[in-house]
Amino acid sequence: EKDPVRVLVTGAAGQIGYALVPMIARGIMLGPDQPVILHMLDIPPAAEALNGVKMELVDAAFPLLKGVVATTDVVEACTGVNIAVMVGGFPRKEGMERKDVMSKNVSIYKAQASALEKYAAANCKVLVVANPANTNALILKEFAPSIPEKNITCLTRLDHNRALGQISERLNVQVSDVKNVIIWGNHSSSQYPDVNHATAVGKPVRELVKDDEWLNGEFITTVQQRGAAIIKARKFSSALSAASSACDHIRDWVIGTPEGTWVSMGVYSDGSYNVPAGLIYSFPVTCKNGEWTIVQGLPIDEFSRKKMDATAEELSEEKALAYSCLS
Ligand code: NAI
């Protein structure tokens, strides 16, 4: 039997945490033959609820689950972890300024970066889910300089999966037959869902849909605004789809993307596609041997360029706001 992998989930007493930890314990994230030890972190007001989640994990008798650490201590939570899924954060509350929310998250991600840097296993892979996801990941990178920057990512796979879902519904084809959409940029409503290179049942999506007005308009806004639509319908934000997409992100990163398929991940920009270096920006990537590579050489038309630049601009502003919270 393989040695267990230690997976940290922060904010584990929250909504996404509640959907995510059973998926991890079932082998959905790392595969059906990979034992896991779950490390769950939350803050003291959620300690009792966190313990309740631990009780349920015990009750579910997951064969792959070799241990559970449920704690409010950041050091204990981070010690020895191979994978860190950062779901905990400070939500925007009514009437709060953007800067105040940013400031809370900057201090959380600064502290957790230091703990991961000191106590996580070497080569720990980090996925930031909590919003503002790209900028939280950037702060984490800045304050964990010894963790390779390629190990720090943020979640845009939910947006990617939403785009696959919309195309599948529109064309009435299986979602598994739709491939290679791209989410560029920020996990926010400025993201650019791009279908110019996407295929369905092996044919270009644009040729099959035959409606550029929809693809350049309603399709894009539906994907961009999907989070808000879920909140309106459910009164809570997306949780099962976020948890499932987080599993997809880590699984493809660790196990690899299928030949001929790319996925979207928020990663540290090296300036590819003229995206400013030094932002955490969502790109199309392929993964092999536990490492992602940005897909290169895709032609970018003028419509796309504008949208890719606009979301980069928003990320630069977020970065400046985050830095202003540090001083
Ligand atoms: P939630 O409010 O139900 O859970 C968040 C949990 O984090 C709470 O249990 C809270 O106590 C905990 N927490 C707060 N500060 C913490 C800290 N310093 N350390 C550890 N835990 C802490 O929220 P939910 O619905 O689970 O969402 C979590 C985050 O994920 C939010 O920021 C949300 O905006 C974001 N999100 C991101 C998505 C993406 O695609 N990137 C999709 C959906 C949500």
Side-chain angles (χ1 to χ4, degrees), residues 265-320:
M265 280 172 68
V267 299
Y268 194 67
S269 170
D270 61 353
S272 291
Y273 294 97
N274 290 318
V275 169
L279 296 176
I280 300 268
Y281 189 98
S282 180
F283 286 99
V285 301
T286 54
C287 304
K288 202 175 179 175
N289 301 325
E291 294 200 7
W292 53 264
T293 309
I294 296 173
V295 176
Q296 297 295 337
L298 297 171
I300 304 297
D301 64 17
E302 205 179 317
F303 179 86
S304 299
R305 185 74 254 166
K306 283 202 180 114
K307 295 214 168 323
M308 287 161 68
D309 289 345
T311 189
E313 185 58 36
E314 183 184 62
L315 280 169
S316 298
E317 281 165 21
E318 271 187 24
K319 180 178 179 175

Side-chain angles (χ1 to χ4, degrees), residues 233-244:
R234 233 171 61 83
K235 317 291 177 253
F236 295 102
S237 63
S238 331
L240 85 85
S241 53
S244 179

Side-chain angles (χ1 to χ4, degrees), residues 4-156:
V5 167
R6 291 181 183 268
V7 183
L8 167 66
V9 177
T10 72
Q15 283 209 87
I16 295 175
Y18 191 71
L20 179 59
V21 292
M23 291 183 189
I24 297 170
R26 270 270 173 220
I28 291 176
M29 177 178 276
L30 293 167
D33 61 350
Q34 178 58 63
V36 291
I37 297 173
L38 271 168
H39 287 218
M40 303 194 297
L41 176 70
D42 213 296
I43 48 177
E48 200 180 347
L50 187 67
N51 194 46
V53 177
K54 180 176 177 179
M55 287 159 69
E56 285 203 71
L57 287 169
V58 171
D59 294 351
F62 294 111
L64 287 172
L65 187 59
K66 303 303 176 189
V68 181
V69 176
T71 182
T72 57
D73 179 62
V74 184
V75 171
E76 188 186 6
C78 291
T79 300
V81 298
N82 307 100
I83 291 175
V85 187
M86 314 300 286
V87 185
F90 194 91
R92 185 163 185 175
K93 292 178 183 156
E94 233 177 293
M96 263 184 99
E97 295 291 337
R98 244 179 104 226
K99 176 151 189 184
D100 298 334
V101 191
M102 182 66 84
S103 160
K104 299 260 188 209
N105 283 300
V106 162
S107 60
I108 291 171
Y109 278 81
K110 190 177 163 186
Q112 295 186 354
S114 305
L116 280 172
E117 160 152 74
K118 282 205 198 87
Y119 302 104
N123 214 27
C124 174
K125 287 179 159 62
V126 182
L127 166 61
V128 178
V129 176
N131 282 314
N134 301 53
T135 300
N136 286 342
L138 188 65
I139 293 298
L140 197 154
K141 186 220 152 268
E142 298 291 86
F143 290 95
S146 72
I147 300 180
E149 63 203 26
K150 67 176 190 329
N151 286 25
I152 297 170
T153 64
C154 82
L155 187 71
T156 55

Side-chain angles (χ1 to χ4, degrees), residues 196-219:
N196 288 339
H197 313 280
T199 61
V201 289
K203 299 191 192 80
V205 161
R206 279 208 188 264
E207 278 175 28
L208 294 172
V209 172
K210 292 190 193 77
D211 186 350
D212 284 341
E213 199 183 310
W214 182 77
L215 284 172
N216 295 345
E218 198 184 323
F219 163 75

